[in-house]
Structure formats: C-alpha cells, structure tokens
Amino acid sequence: DQQVKQNSPSLSVQEGRISILNCDYTNSMFDYFLWYKKYPAEGPTFLISISSIKDKNEDGRFTVFLNKSAKHLSLHIVPSQPGDSAVYFCAASTQGGSEKLVFGKGMKLTVNP
Amino acid sequence: EADIYQTPRYLVIGTGKKITLECSQTMGHDKMYWYQQDPGMELHLIHYSYGVNSTEKGDLSSESTVSRIRTEHFPLTLESARPSHTSQYLCASSVGTAGYTFGSGTRLTVV
C-alpha cells in the first residue's frame, strides 16, 4: 500500500503564477518530509524539507506547508519559471529523516512561458 | 559537480547475462541506497546499507544483490538479467538527517 500519495500526475501553470503541488501520507510515524525535483535522464535533486515540529518552511521561491492533522503537505512555487518544469517527488521518513525515505509517484509540473 | 557516480548511464543487454551496476560516492557518507523506478511510478527501495559489510533488502523484492566492502562503493548485481528487470536504477547516499544525494541513474533495458 502506498504510504506517500501524490494523486495528481501532472500540473500545468503559466510562468509567473503560483504552482501548488500536493502530497498526502498515511503513516503517522513519519516526522520528516522532503521534496525532490527530477529532470529527465537525471537523478532527483533535493529541493526543500520540513520537520513535523514545523508547519511551514521557506527557501526563496519554494515554500512547504505541513498539516499534520490532515496528513497533508504541499509545495508552493512562486513565481513559477519555465526552468521549474520537472517531475516533483514527495518523500517521507521517520526518526527525523535518519531512516530510509518513502517516495510518492511524482507529479510532472510544466510551466509555460 | 556530481559527488555520486553511477555507471553505466544506459545499458541494453540480452536475457540471461550477468550485469553489475556501479555506484560510487566521494562524500564519505555512511548510508547508501538503491532505488528502482518504472516510468510514472514511485521510487521503490530495493537495497540499503548503513555502513561497510552492512546490507539489507528494501521494501520491494528484488532478484539483485549488493555488496558494501568499501564506504564509497555500493555495486548492484543481477546474476541473470530478464526483461522484467528493465527499469531505471537510482543510487543515493546520505549522512545523518540530511536528505539523499542521488546519482544520475542507470537505465537498464533487457532484451
């Protein structure tokens, strides 16, 4: 069974607008969450993370929000740029991120100029 | 500049052949992982290692094997490749609570 779910396979937005990528999880033991970006023919690269003791973490244009009661997190990209077009993976871990990561299926983001 | 290297990037091989996918990292990370990913699907953990001479199977059953004789090296071996092994294989490493650093992956096609 999938412990980390990204239910929307794709998202298309206009350059300059906000991109919102969603992720749900089922395992209440997860306490550390990460987002990775992946371009074709490359490995995923780390984007941003959040610990369960926080509900928001910001890094430049990227903000991750965590709603523990709903077991839901989201990644906001503002403003979106064409170079952001990639597949985004949500991942979760226990023990503050020291244990192995569990990944979602990914969501393909396309930012149109 | 990549700190974790996977070779080959692409491999097309016949059924029944033995193959080894190489993964090396220069960061001194103690933890290393192999994930398998089919297009449009999640990354599935197939093997991991928390240090030299320590290897464990992941959540997804795999016919592959791994070894960790040196900290920096974590090769994956398939004794007899089959078409069902066609997939992308991603190696990663980590230390402490930092996120993973991934290699560029090996796209394997077994014909």
Side-chain angles (χ1 to χ4, degrees):
Chain A
D1 64 329
Q2 265 189 286
Q3 297 185 69
V4 177
K5 301 178 184 179
Q6 294 177 261
N7 292 321
S8 299
S10 63
L11 174 68
S12 183
V13 300
Q14 286 299 120
E15 181 178 5
R17 307 294 287 268
I18 185 171
S19 295
I20 300 176
L21 291 74
N22 293 307
C23 178
D24 298 295
Y25 61 96
T26 58
N27 187 345
S28 58
M29 298 301 291
F30 288 144
D31 60 5
Y32 196 71
F33 304 89
L34 309 90
W35 286 93
Y36 283 82
K37 181 168 76 172
K38 185 180 185 296
Y39 294 117
E42 294 184 15
T45 55
F46 170 74
L47 200 55
I48 192 169
S49 63
I50 188 167
S51 165
S52 61
I53 62 173
K54 296 185 175 182
D55 54 19
K56 177 182 173 182
N57 189 26
E58 212 168 335
D59 184 0
R61 297 185 297 114
F62 302 92
T63 303
V64 56
F65 295 92
L66 176 62
N67 183 335
K68 289 186 291 294
S69 60
K71 293 192 178 68
H72 176 83
L73 63 155
S74 61
L75 174 68
H76 292 211
I77 306 174
V78 184
S80 301
Q81 299 173 353
D84 296 329
S85 297
V87 176
Y88 289 77
F89 289 92
C90 174
S93 176
T94 60
Q95 299 184 38
S98 63
E99 287 300 309
K100 47 193 185 292
L101 297 181
V102 178
F103 286 84
K105 286 186 178 182
M107 169 192 265
K108 183 176 181 180
L109 173 66
T110 302
V111 180
N112 301 303
Chain B
E1 183 180 339
D3 294 312
I4 182 164
Y5 306 92
Q6 287 188 247
T7 57
R9 288 291 302 274
Y10 303 92
L11 178 63
V12 180
I13 200 161
T15 297
K17 299 290 187 184
K18 177 180 179 179
I19 57 170
T20 296
L21 308 184
E22 300 288 347
C23 177
S24 294
Q25 49 99 1
T26 59
M27 299 170 284
H29 287 175
D30 48 0
K31 298 177 183 178
M32 296 190 74
Y33 312 85
W34 277 102
Y35 281 83
Q36 183 177 342
Q37 189 204 10
D38 294 324
M41 300 298 290
E42 59 264 57
L43 282 69
H44 286 289
L45 180 68
I46 52 175
H47 297 283
Y48 63 99
S49 167
Y50 284 175
V52 171
N53 294 325
S54 156
T55 61
E56 300 286 344
K57 287 191 178 293
D59 304 321
L60 181 68
S61 175
S62 174
E63 294 166 346
S64 58
T65 59
V66 293
S67 62
R68 189 90 182 275
I69 298 172
R70 302 196 316 266
T71 298
E72 63 271 22
H73 195 213
F74 192 41
L76 181 145
T77 299
L78 274 165
E79 291 292 332
S80 179
R82 292 207 297 267
S84 61
H85 296 140
T86 295
S87 189
Q88 183 177 39
Y89 293 84
L90 291 160
C91 180
S93 69
S94 71
V95 61
T97 58
Y100 291 4
T101 301
F102 278 93
S104 296
T106 294
R107 186 164 295 281
L108 172 66
T109 302
V110 183
V111 298

